[in-house]
Amino acid sequence: MSKVFQEAGRIAPDLLERYEPVIGLEVHVQLKTETKVFCGCSTRFGDPPNTNVCPVCLGLPGSLPVLNRLALEMAIRAALALHARVCERSAFARKNYFYPDLPKGYQISMYELPLATAGWLELFPTRRNEVARKRIGITRLHLEEDAAKALHEGFPDSDRRSYIDHNRCGVPLIEIVSEPDLRSPAEAYTYLNTLKQLLQYTGVSDCNMEEGSLRCDANVSVRRRGAEKLGTKTEVKNLNSFRYLERALEYEIERHISVLESGGRIEQETRLWNLAEGRTDPMRSKEFAHDYRYFPEPDLLPVRMSGSWTAEIARSMPELPQAKRARFVSEYGITAYDAEVLTDTPELADYFEAVVKAGAPPKTAANWVQTELLRRLHDAGKETRESPVAPAALAELLQLLEGGQITAASAKGIFTKMFETGRPAREMIAAEDLGQIRDAREIERLCRTVIEQNPENAAKYRGGNKGVFKFFVGQVMRASRGKANPQLVSDTLRRLLS
Ligand code: ADP
Ligand code: ZN
Ligand code: MG
């Protein structure tokens, strides 16, 4: 294959002048219910293997599944967030296949009658991807159960044996299938991220990719620009990060174009993303395509979603990310960029709003949450909800800063200590004597000392080199341990040096 990759994985632009990529995503998301979709077993992640199981989720003969109403409700919430039409009637089917992680020999899934159809999700340009604003169609959304987890690694005898953890059997999933409306890896990335945010906001899923709560398969083809007919697609599996999705698509698009350019044909097949080699490998071809022999699940009644129930769920929907961003910009006067960072997760957005509601000026709050708070959380490996500094405590600090009781430099130091100890700002300031120095005589004393210690620089300044002024300000601030009022320091230095 020709080496047409450019700058860190981007596809060569001249190839994209002639070929248009077409992408559709199939996304599986684990719902945030405490119990499984057809039995009362716990869905908790990380429990000892094979402890959260019962005859239903182990598929023992004679056991009867019962639909978890909350799982259905969450699936409807997801459908509503995607502007999809919730079907009045839906039904479960058995999707039959043999696999060691499937003790029943079939997966219960909605098939001919999905839960919802004909939705859309709107893409907006982001900080990361300058994609065009456009709607991506959602073909269908349905509810199904997860399979067990096969463990091929991590045991002393993993070279000979695989283990099966059945805890995941029967965990509720929704599958969301998009129309082939995506036109670039960047659009696919943005679609998945937008979808993830929607599902987190609506409380449907935590979308934790490391724990497998969000899984994505990508279907991709290319066609000559201007052609109507879609090209033959391949499906890429094993994309367990956003970055891999993007890279696998870049690789696959380039591969399709190379094959077509050299007069070949793309075979419809399923491929696996090979992370180690940075390429996709064939997994199974159309020849071996599954015939799942779907048939209606005889142990579960058809599902009816009444209009009144759907309307009730619609009324309980929270504010969604795009609406929140727009409101943050208009209500708090912050930039669209800031609003995007602050609405990244509902928890962060709530945190920011709580800081403002507790009395901090919105712009200062926006800056501090994005820089100081996020950096410390990141360094400590903590989530927003685990922040040792509560919103009200940060608001108090920012009010002290705004009111001039402390300098920006000490505020940062105080914040670090608040983060480490969980103690409030006022306590820190009192204990460490960090109140701002505004006493003119005290500041003059500091300035004089610094000037006396640096006669050469003082001479330079007086000789016209105004650039050294910053040096003096820095020295005085340092001598005061960041506590001197910067304005007073500048004024005093200017007077003493002139
Ligand atoms: P299959 O029958 O192979 O499951 P579907 O028609 O159900 O295919 O589509 C599965 C996914 O593949 C959807 O997300 C759809 O948008 C996408 N898709 C379908 N055809 C193409 C194509 N030619 N190129 C890219 N994606 C496609
Ligand atoms: Zn069970
Ligand atoms: Mg399909």
Side-chain angles (χ1 to χ4, degrees):
M1 188 170 61
S2 67
K3 195 72 208 141
V4 289
F5 270 97
Q6 292 210 331
E7 327 151 13
R10 298 284 167 210
I11 305 156
D14 60 313
L15 290 181
L16 290 179
E17 267 166 31
R18 279 175 291 139
Y19 289 94
E20 179 182 50
V22 173
I23 302 161
L25 299 186
E26 293 170 281
V27 178
H28 285 89
V29 186
Q30 181 178 332
L31 301 179
K32 243 162 73 174
T33 58
E34 281 176 17
T35 55
K36 296 186 181 180
V37 61
F38 301 122
C39 65
C41 293
S42 168
T43 56
R44 204 167 29 243
F45 182 85
D47 276 3
N50 300 308
T51 52
N52 298 326
V53 289
C54 76
V56 174
C57 53
L58 284 175
L60 301 187
S63 57
L64 277 182
V66 178
L67 179 59
N68 178 338
R69 183 186 162 99
L70 185 59
L72 185 61
E73 183 181 325
M74 284 186 173
I76 295 174
R77 293 172 81 81
L80 293 175
L82 293 167
H83 314 273
R85 198 177 59 80
V86 177
C87 305
E88 277 170 27
R89 195 163 167 280
S90 172
F92 287 101
R94 291 186 177 181
K95 178 180 181 179
N96 295 278
Y97 64 100
F98 173 81
Y99 207 74
D101 67 7
L102 195 70
K104 288 203 293 277
Y106 59 85
Q107 177 195 25
I108 304 179
S109 173
M110 289 172 175
Y111 179 53
E112 277 172 329
L113 298 173
L115 186 86
T117 58
W120 51 266
L121 176 156
E122 189 160 17
L123 301 187
F124 288 87
T126 66
R127 286 168 291 145
R128 187 180 188 281
N129 288 323
E130 268 299 320
V131 300
R133 188 172 164 171
K134 79 181 217 198
R135 283 187 184 180
I136 306 301
I138 305 289
T139 315
R140 57 182 271 149
L141 182 153
H142 70 251
L143 186 57
E144 63 185 31
E145 61 175 344
D146 207 346
K149 194 170 172 179
L151 306 164
H152 305 295
E153 278 165 15
F155 295 92
D157 53 356
S158 281
D159 55 334
R160 281 164 290 133
R161 284 198 172 88
S162 286
Y163 289 82
I164 310 278
D165 177 5
H166 293 87
N167 285 353
R168 211 176 65 179
C169 269
V171 164
L173 301 178
I174 48 173
E175 177 172 349
I176 300 163
V177 181
S178 88
E179 290 289 306
D181 288 347
L182 299 158
R183 293 290 175 268
S184 66
E187 283 192 2
Y189 183 105
T190 309
Y191 169 89
L192 192 61
N193 204 34
T194 310
L195 180 63
K196 175 182 170 193
Q197 263 191 349
L198 273 177
L199 297 170
Q200 287 176 330
Y201 267 72
T202 46
V204 166
S205 176
D206 59 24
C207 292
N208 186 332
M209 265 192 153
E210 284 98 68
E211 295 182 1
S213 312
L214 175 70
R215 289 167 244 162
C216 171
D217 301 331
N219 297 271
V220 54
S221 64
V222 301
R223 63 180 168 189
R224 284 269 178 189
R225 295 247 168 223
E228 283 238 350
K229 198 169 167 289
L230 293 181
T232 305
K233 74 172 160 82
T234 53
E235 181 176 353
V236 187
K237 291 187 177 289
N238 202 24
L239 303 170
N240 46 24
S241 87
F242 282 74
R243 187 76 196 104
Y244 301 160
L245 167 68
E246 213 175 25
R247 281 178 54 198
L249 283 172
E250 279 161 1
Y251 177 90
E252 198 57 12
I253 289 164
E254 185 196 297
R255 191 182 69 83
H256 281 220
I257 297 176
S258 305
V259 168
L260 296 177
E261 283 284 282
S262 59
R265 263 186 36 212
I266 292 293
E267 299 292 331
Q268 181 166 341
E269 63 184 354
T270 302
R271 299 175 71 89
L272 275 185
W273 171 241
N274 181 334
L275 172 63
E277 302 293 333
R279 61 161 195 251
T280 64
D281 292 329
M283 183 176 134
R284 57 170 182 252
S285 69
K286 185 81 181 175
E287 217 178 321
F288 300 104
H290 283 282
D291 175 2
Y292 293 114
R293 293 166 190 275
Y294 283 95
F295 69 84
E297 164 61 66
D299 290 339
L300 285 163
L301 290 169
V303 188
R304 294 204 42 211
M305 275 83 60
S306 70
S308 60
W309 190 36
T310 306
E312 193 187 313
I313 297 171
R315 276 194 301 276
S316 75
M317 294 283 277
E319 182 179 37
L320 297 179
Q322 195 52 43
K324 206 183 272 293
R325 278 195 276 281
R327 183 171 62 78
F328 277 13
V329 170
S330 64
E331 198 171 319
Y332 300 126
I334 63 176
T335 65
Y337 176 98
D338 290 352
E340 189 189 331
V341 179
L342 293 171
T343 54
D344 186 37
T345 62
E347 290 79 20
L348 188 65
D350 287 351
Y351 188 102
F352 162 71
E353 281 212 283
V355 176
V356 175
K357 296 241 157 74
K363 282 184 186 162
T364 317
N367 282 336
W368 275 69
V369 169
Q370 279 180 79
T371 52
E372 303 303 315
L373 179 75
L374 282 185
R375 180 168 60 235
R376 298 243 152 47
L377 286 173
H378 179 265
D379 290 350
K382 283 185 156 67
E383 302 287 336
T384 307
R385 66 184 145 72
E386 299 168 316
S387 170
V389 180
L394 175 55
E396 185 192 38
L397 176 72
L398 297 184
Q399 280 172 305
L400 289 169
L401 170 64
E402 204 68 12
Q405 281 102 314
I406 49 173
T407 65
S410 0
K412 287 189 181 161
I414 295 167
F415 183 74
T416 305
K417 297 213 174 78
M418 288 168 71
F419 197 91
E420 282 161 7
T421 63
R423 285 164 61 200
R426 279 184 197 284
E427 228 176 81
M428 295 289 171
I429 294 165
E432 312 232 353
D433 179 30
L434 286 169
Q436 182 165 155
I437 303 173
R438 320 191 61 154
D439 180 69
R441 268 182 312 184
E442 170 77 1
I443 286 179
E444 182 165 335
R445 193 184 59 73
L446 287 166
C447 292
R448 280 192 191 284
T449 314
V450 169
I451 293 171
E452 273 160 26
Q453 284 166 352
N454 298 280
E456 282 168 27
N457 278 335
K460 274 192 203 154
Y461 179 83
R462 291 183 178 119
N465 179 351
K466 301 295 174 207
V468 293
F469 191 70
K470 271 209 200 103
F471 161 82
F472 281 106
V473 175
Q475 290 298 307
V476 175
M477 290 311 287
R478 234 174 95 180
S480 75
R481 290 168 47 232
K483 296 191 301 178
N485 176 295
Q487 191 57 50
L488 274 176
V489 170
S490 291
D491 293 349
T492 312
L493 279 172
R494 217 167 259 126
R495 178 165 54 78
L496 293 178
L497 282 167
S498 65

